[in-house]
Amino acid sequence: MRAIAMTRVAALAAAVALVAGCSSTSTTTDGGADGAATNNAATAQGADGSNVTAGSFAEVAKLRTVFYFDFDQAVVKQEGFSDLEAHAKYLSNNPGATVRLEGHADERGTREYNIALGEQRANAVARLLMVNGAGSNQIETISYGEEKPAMLGHTEAEWALNRRVELSYTSR
Amino acid sequence: MVNLNQFKSLIFVLLWAPLIVKAELVVEVTQGLSEPTPVAVVPFKWTGQGALPEDVAQIVDQDLSRSGLFTTLPRSAMLSLPSERSQVFFRDWRMTKSDFLVVGKIEPISATRVSLRYELYDVLKEENIMIQPLESDINQLRDAAHFIADQIYQALTGNRGAFSTRIVYVTAEQLTSQTSRYRLEMADWDGNRPRVILESREPIMSPSWSADGKKIAYVSFETGRPSIYVQYLATGKRERIQSFSGLNGAPAWSPDGNKLALVLSKDGNAEIYVLDVTSGQLQRVTNHYGIDTEPSWAPDGESLFFTSDRGGSPQIYRLFLATRQMTRVTYEGNYNARASMTPDGRFLALIHRSGGSGNRFSVAVLDLKTDRLDILTETGLEESPTIAPNASVVLYATQEGNQGVLSAVSLDGQVRFRMPNTRGDVRAPAWSPYLY
């Protein structure tokens, strides 16, 4: 478990660096990605708190597929890290598998800004998958901005659920 | 005083009319000037057989009162119904406290054409201000009425009228829990004569008028991904002009009609590009890892305003295209977006988050001369401000209850109207340029 924990830390550091706008690929990123990619039997903390291995799709199906964001932010919250790692490991182990990441925003602010924000969110999730071993050719991103809210209504409760990235498998 | 050919050229718009929608927006003035100018518009006398398809004087009356600058005299309060000078007794109109009087007459020319003649009087001075004859097809009387209202508005305010202009907007109706119907629609400025330009099960965004009023650029997700399309209003013909991977959004026509500013993320994140429409040449004009979006041309076409979060929160920046010199324009508050400039270059209308980190997103106007920012609306979920070509009002989208509706406010905040709709959400309004 120690090795896995190290991998996770490296991957997170790399992801944070990327999210913060570092466009060059640092050695930390490579180390993290390599570590994740070679660790095929890795396990991660599932959404329900149980340890799941990323080997079978039945296990992946139990993982969290919606990841939430703060207002005007595109930083993946820590609560989503372990599930995203598990998704990444499944993708790494199954090169034929592909995911679609849909980025969304709440209705506040302007539509075109929100669609760019939704794209940043989808890209942030995509980077976390990639530094954990998923290939860029396995990930498709699209942003809908505020055009497709999950919840109707105009309070913080609905807005929080609308600021999201939805991950879905387009091929197993 | 008025060129009749101007009116004739109005006829061009929308010979192509695939679908008339029943649902219609209506203008409801919620606040007018504190001392509006009183005008009486007398029903125009019709000398032909049968009834005309439109009540021309009523449309003129509505245009004037919906501007918020005038109050109009109800027909029931009129003491006489003159149609020409010889029948006008100014005392009748002084008694009803009308400062100005409009009378008119419509005569048949053929089965399909009529001639109109209207006269505008100053009641207090007992003087004629304007007499104008014009001709119209019987099925274009509404256009004729808006044209007449434009002339009267200009004669009485000194500003050009915008009653002959049109708006486009997007409507969204949820059909089932999984499906919605999106429509790009166009209507007269007052919501009348709505027509569907495009219908889709996927979102439609960001309609933008070309400067000549003949084309609309917009974003459609109909293929499952966002692409920018240009559609010709006269024929309905359209072309997909940008469809890179990632964002293809926020199209904005340059004032000379030769260029389209737009947002692409094909190089990694949202950046602003300028597309030369004739040569197809695409030039990237911003370069930052933050969001750069919502380009909007200054009226002289030499600079672009845009929204960027490069400073940590969305703010308005201005980019001079020839020199690539860039300046930050907004500093007040932590959210300023989607700016557009008034035709005189003095003001920016934009969306401003008011009350610090509060949840009110208001229409605001920034005076570029004094740097004063005035918040014009209080509802809180405003977006997509679009300025009427005569700068009389800013039209915007907002929420009323659980419905997306259009509302408008004048730049000085004195005139307000809303455009309630019968069903679905209405959003993303774009006001046309002058069409004649």
Side-chain angles (χ1 to χ4, degrees), chain A residues 23-95:
Chain A
S23 57
S24 66
T25 311
S26 69
T27 50
T28 319
T29 310
D30 295 332
D34 289 343
T38 53
N39 209 334
N40 288 349
T43 61
Q45 197 79 7
D48 57 358
S50 64
N51 280 341
V52 293
T53 65
S56 74
F57 191 78
E59 287 158 349
V60 167
K62 293 178 193 160
L63 296 169
R64 196 193 291 263
T65 57
V66 186
F67 303 89
Y68 297 101
F69 294 80
D70 289 334
F71 176 75
D72 195 26
Q73 296 297 318
V75 180
V76 183
K77 292 184 182 178
Q78 199 160 358
E79 65 192 25
F81 286 171
S82 57
D83 289 56
L84 282 172
E85 279 176 55
H87 283 298
K89 283 175 186 113
Y90 178 82
L91 290 168
S92 170
N93 293 343
N94 299 275

Side-chain angles (χ1 to χ4, degrees), chain A residues 20-21 71-73 100 107-117 119-120 123 140-144 146-148 152-154 156 159, chain B residues 174 182 202-203 205-206 221 224-225 246-247 250 265 268 289 291 293-294 309 314 335 337-338 351 353 359 361 381 383 399 401-402 427:
Chain A
F71 176 75
D72 195 26
Q73 296 297 318
R100 172 181 165 99
E107 64 181 335
R108 293 175 296 165
T110 57
R111 288 183 181 271
E112 285 288 355
Y113 183 81
N114 280 337
I115 206 160
L117 184 59
E119 181 180 64
Q120 284 198 333
N123 287 344
E140 172 201 6
T141 59
I142 184 169
S143 175
Y144 285 107
E146 62 177 281
E147 307 302 315
K148 291 196 169 182
L152 302 172
H154 312 287
E156 180 52 42
W159 292 331
Chain B
Q174 193 154 9
Y182 300 88
E202 294 295 330
M205 293 178 68
S206 306
F221 282 69
R225 306 202 64 89
L247 299 182
S265 63
Y289 58 80
I291 293 171
T293 188
E294 299 173 336
D309 71 345
Y335 198 114
R338 203 157 195 279
I351 296 298
R353 186 185 202 179
N359 287 325
F361 290 77
L381 287 170
E383 54 190 12
Q399 290 283 328
N402 279 322
R427 55 175 72 147

Side-chain angles (χ1 to χ4, degrees), chain B residues 1 50 77 92 136 140 172 193 205 235 269 311 323-324 369 416:
Chain B
M1 148 174 239
D92 287 357
S136 167
Q140 272 151 352
R193 295 191 288 192
M205 293 178 68
T235 61
N269 73 319
T323 60
R324 293 299 163 91
K369 226 179 221 174
R416 293 170 195 275

